[in-house]
Amino acid sequence: MEVVQTIADLRSRIKAYRRKNEKSVGFVPTMGFLHEGHASLLTKARAQSGLVVLSIFVNPIQFGPGEDFERYPRDAERDLAFAEAAGVDLVFMPSVEEMYPTPTRTTVRVSEVTTRLCGASRPGHFDGVATVVSKLFHIVQPDQAFFGLKDAQQVAVIEQMVKDLNLPVEIVPCPTLREADGLAMSSRNVYLSTEERQQALVLSQSLNKAKDFIQSKAATSFTSLELQNLVTQHIQTAPLAVIDYVEVLSYPTLEPFDQSHSTSSLIIALAVKFGKTRLIDNLILQVRK
Amino acid sequence: MEVVQTIADLRSRIKAYRRKNEKSVGFVPTMGFLHEGHASLLTKARAQSGLVVLSIFVNPIQFGPGEDFERYPRDAERDLAFAEAAGVDLVFMPSVEEMYPTPTRTTVRVSEVTTRLCGASRPGHFDGVATVVSKLFHIVQPDQAFFGLKDAQQVAVIEQMVKDLNLPVEIVPCPTLREADGLAMSSRNVYLSTEERQQALVLSQSLNKAKDFIQSKAATSFTSLELQNLVTQHIQTAPLAVIDYVEVLSYPTLEPFDQSHSTSSLIIALAVKFGKTRLIDNLILQVRK
């Protein structure tokens, strides 16, 4: 495994690989503090690609004022051991100065799909995500890029950007990984106190309840509002939970879910704060017609 | 010479070329109605590249309401003969539907360098330019792309975008070509009546006067305002000329030109209407310190 800090180094390694190999380049962009969710992306990339590239970069421009950029967990040494074990070939760990050498003047903005959910709670967040991901795609030039569906809106935004800008990369969405008790894996879980960690289980529980509810019903006999209420009410059984949003939308268009539409995928998406820690989770379901 | 209409066709031809050749791919993006200015870009591309790709696409999203998108001159047959004579290998002539198959939701926006000159007169214009050029770069994936300096702000915007987004392409700015009497070549020159065409000579004349003025002076003995007035006064000798702007800025940063700065390049840029036709021209000068 090689570790590089500069764009020029990364490009020359990938160019050298491409010159000798016909196999594809798989890319997993992350903000580090790797967990089993990332490992599942790397495993998929390893299985499909000749060269597996991992980036670790806590991207300042996707954090708003007052968000957790400064305290976002970082552990380069652990991450590198983790990456090596996951079969990564090449790790890109640029500095902020390397990625944004002068005040950046170019923004990639995706509209519509960014107006709700985290796009509404975190203004500018998805501009930062789309901009850094397009930069990383231009630097790595991968054949496939692997993203976790825990950040389902991020996947939708990136898929829209790739389609609209004709980026020559295939996006591979990968299922959310969960702890044994159901909590969706996240680098931010380390922020939680023991009590918060216990109460955060209401998130996955509430989504499971919604799933059971839908599966017990005929396809057209429930409303978005019923689902939203069911999830909200269960989350509210946790005294420490402060709901940011609970929404039921079509996926991946992220528009109001209307069963009369041709849309057949829905997402129940939620963001909930426990103390200072904001957690997200979601459930994406095919609805039988 | 091959002519293709679809992105898939273009990509497969370029991929086939890349597989067999080590030589570079040179790209000249245009809106068609080709003239000698375009020919000079194609000649440069031909000299430097193994494969010369020309795109002809009148990009609707860079035209504002009330601008000349509908009446912009088009002549595919003449353009193709012109391209063949210039040694083009591959022409990409997509439809609007091919480039924007669904309402596009992604915009590439460059700030600062777009606030003045045409960016001020034509709100949204450079969003449309940056977005379509990034799409074309993703589709063609050229090694070099050639742009005329007649659209000097466009070159500055694209260079900023390429730097900020780490696009893997080299931008090659090429000098403005002029008619024998000095008028800068432009597809829009065909709009001019005989009288307008004659009076439009004040544009290049005024820039020549500014150049003579600067060269007659010691480096620090003139001001931006003096240059601006000199150019403006000469343009105003043409009764049909309606000035949109005359500005003196640093180049390529397009900030107010201040001789005490380290900046040593200035641009005198102008946009002037003759009837319905809006013409632009500019002069970029190294200023000795």
Side-chain angles (χ1 to χ4, degrees):
Chain A
M1 187 176 82
E2 289 185 297
V3 183
V4 299
Q5 260 91 38
T6 70
I7 294 166
D9 265 2
L10 188 77
R11 280 190 164 143
S12 78
R13 311 274 162 137
I14 292 173
K15 198 170 177 181
Y17 177 84
R18 292 266 192 207
R19 200 162 280 169
K20 289 191 212 147
N21 291 275
E22 287 288 306
K23 287 186 189 162
S24 63
V25 173
F27 178 43
V28 180
T30 77
M31 299 211 298
F33 213 72
L34 303 175
H35 52 65
E36 290 304 315
H38 299 112
S40 75
L41 306 179
L42 293 169
T43 301
K44 203 156 192 172
R46 183 70 282 163
Q48 294 189 15
S49 322
L51 185 79
V52 176
V53 182
L54 165 72
S55 68
I56 298 177
F57 179 61
V58 184
N59 174 38
I61 68 166
Q62 73 187 67
F63 290 80
E67 289 186 0
D68 57 347
F69 173 66
E70 296 298 338
R71 68 181 192 113
Y72 194 86
R74 292 158 170 94
D75 189 339
E77 204 176 321
R78 212 199 55 156
D79 282 349
L80 291 178
F82 192 100
E84 181 117 50
V88 171
D89 297 305
L90 192 49
V91 183
F92 180 46
M93 297 182 78
S95 66
V96 171
E97 294 68 32
E98 180 72 5
M99 288 297 281
Y100 303 108
T102 48
T104 191
R105 291 175 170 166
T106 306
T107 304
V108 180
R109 176 164 297 167
V110 181
S111 64
E112 310 290 328
V113 78
T114 54
T115 51
R116 295 164 194 274
L117 308 180
C118 292
S121 309
R122 305 181 65 186
H125 170 63
F126 286 116
D127 289 358
V129 169
T131 303
V132 80
V133 171
S134 81
K135 284 168 67 74
L136 289 167
F137 283 175
H138 294 144
I139 293 167
V140 176
Q141 296 181 260
D143 298 288
Q144 283 90 31
F146 301 79
F147 290 87
L149 279 166
K150 214 256 308 182
D151 299 298
Q153 188 173 20
Q154 174 173 276
V155 172
V157 168
I158 290 166
E159 285 182 329
Q160 185 74 45
M161 172 182 82
V162 164
K163 196 171 95 179
D164 288 345
L165 296 184
N166 311 98
L167 277 153
V169 58
E170 180 199 349
I171 302 304
V172 184
C174 304
T176 303
L177 255 74
R178 297 180 180 280
E179 303 289 350
D181 60 7
L183 183 70
M185 289 191 187
S186 165
S187 305
R188 290 187 170 100
N189 289 350
V190 296
Y191 294 152
L192 299 167
S193 70
T194 311
E195 203 179 0
E196 289 165 349
R197 172 71 183 72
Q198 183 55 37
Q199 294 196 16
L201 294 181
V202 293
L203 305 186
S204 56
Q205 287 165 1
S206 71
L207 295 172
N208 284 332
K209 277 177 184 286
K211 189 176 184 177
D212 292 345
F213 176 76
I214 291 171
Q215 286 172 348
S216 73
K217 295 276 176 177
T220 52
S221 65
F222 65 88
T223 66
S224 297
L225 190 62
E226 273 181 297
L227 286 176
Q228 197 182 12
N229 288 341
L230 186 154
V231 170
T232 303
Q233 280 158 22
H234 186 73
I235 294 170
Q236 286 169 338
T237 63
L240 297 174
V242 178
I243 292 176
D244 181 357
Y245 63 74
V246 172
E247 287 198 64
V248 179
L249 300 171
S250 63
Y251 193 82
T253 47
L254 301 183
E255 289 164 345
F257 182 73
D258 175 351
Q259 297 195 341
S260 63
H261 276 183
S262 59
T263 317
S264 58
S265 276
L266 69 74
I267 184 169
I268 308 172
L270 54 84
V272 177
K273 277 192 149 185
F274 291 87
K276 282 188 187 171
T277 307
R278 184 174 173 281
L279 300 178
I280 60 174
D281 202 350
N282 70 76
L283 173 73
I284 298 171
L285 276 182
Q286 288 288 120
V287 181
R288 278 163 306 184
K289 295 260 168 182
Chain B
M1 187 177 80
E2 290 184 297
V3 182
V4 298
Q5 261 90 38
T6 69
I7 294 167
D9 265 2
L10 188 77
R11 280 189 165 144
S12 78
R13 312 272 163 137
I14 293 172
K15 200 171 177 180
Y17 178 84
R18 291 267 193 205
R19 201 163 277 168
K20 290 191 210 143
N21 291 275
E22 286 288 307
K23 286 185 189 162
S24 63
V25 174
F27 178 42
V28 180
T30 77
M31 300 212 298
F33 213 73
L34 303 175
H35 52 65
E36 290 304 316
H38 299 111
S40 76
L41 305 180
L42 293 169
T43 301
K44 203 156 193 174
R46 182 71 283 163
Q48 295 190 14
S49 321
L51 186 80
V52 176
V53 182
L54 164 72
S55 68
I56 298 178
F57 179 61
V58 185
N59 175 40
I61 68 166
Q62 74 186 66
F63 291 81
E67 289 186 0
D68 57 347
F69 173 66
E70 297 298 341
R71 68 180 192 113
Y72 194 86
R74 292 158 170 95
D75 189 339
E77 204 176 322
R78 211 197 57 154
D79 283 350
L80 291 178
F82 193 101
E84 181 117 48
V88 170
D89 296 304
L90 191 49
V91 183
F92 180 46
M93 296 183 78
S95 66
V96 171
E97 294 68 30
E98 180 71 5
M99 288 297 281
Y100 302 109
T102 48
T104 192
R105 290 175 170 167
T106 307
T107 304
V108 180
R109 175 165 296 168
V110 181
S111 64
E112 310 290 328
V113 78
T114 55
T115 50
R116 296 164 195 274
L117 308 179
C118 291
S121 309
R122 306 181 66 187
H125 169 66
F126 285 116
D127 289 359
V129 169
T131 303
V132 80
V133 171
S134 81
K135 283 169 68 74
L136 289 167
F137 283 174
H138 295 144
I139 293 166
V140 176
Q141 296 181 259
D143 298 290
Q144 282 91 31
F146 302 79
F147 290 87
L149 278 166
K150 213 250 316 177
D151 300 296
Q153 189 173 19
Q154 174 172 278
V155 172
V157 169
I158 290 166
E159 285 183 329
Q160 185 74 45
M161 173 182 81
V162 164
K163 196 171 95 177
D164 287 346
L165 296 185
N166 311 99
L167 277 152
V169 57
E170 181 199 349
I171 302 303
V172 184
C174 304
T176 302
L177 255 75
R178 297 180 181 279
E179 304 290 351
D181 60 7
L183 183 69
M185 290 192 186
S186 165
S187 305
R188 289 187 170 100
N189 289 349
V190 296
Y191 294 152
L192 298 168
S193 71
T194 312
E195 204 180 0
E196 288 166 349
R197 170 73 182 73
Q198 183 54 39
Q199 293 196 18
L201 294 181
V202 292
L203 305 186
S204 57
Q205 287 165 359
S206 71
L207 295 172
N208 284 332
K209 278 179 184 283
K211 189 176 182 177
D212 291 346
F213 177 77
I214 291 171
Q215 287 172 348
S216 73
K217 296 277 176 177
T220 52
S221 65
F222 65 89
T223 66
S224 298
L225 190 63
E226 273 181 297
L227 286 177
Q228 197 182 11
N229 288 342
L230 186 154
V231 171
T232 303
Q233 281 159 20
H234 185 74
I235 294 170
Q236 285 168 339
T237 63
L240 296 175
V242 179
I243 292 176
D244 180 358
Y245 62 74
V246 172
E247 286 199 66
V248 180
L249 299 171
S250 62
Y251 193 83
T253 47
L254 301 183
E255 288 163 345
F257 182 74
D258 175 350
Q259 298 195 341
S260 63
H261 276 183
S262 59
T263 317
S264 58
S265 276
L266 70 74
I267 183 170
I268 308 173
L270 54 84
V272 177
K273 277 192 149 187
F274 291 87
K276 281 188 187 172
T277 307
R278 184 174 173 282
L279 300 178
I280 60 174
D281 201 351
N282 69 76
L283 173 73
I284 298 171
L285 276 181
Q286 288 288 122
V287 181
R288 277 164 306 186
K289 296 260 167 182

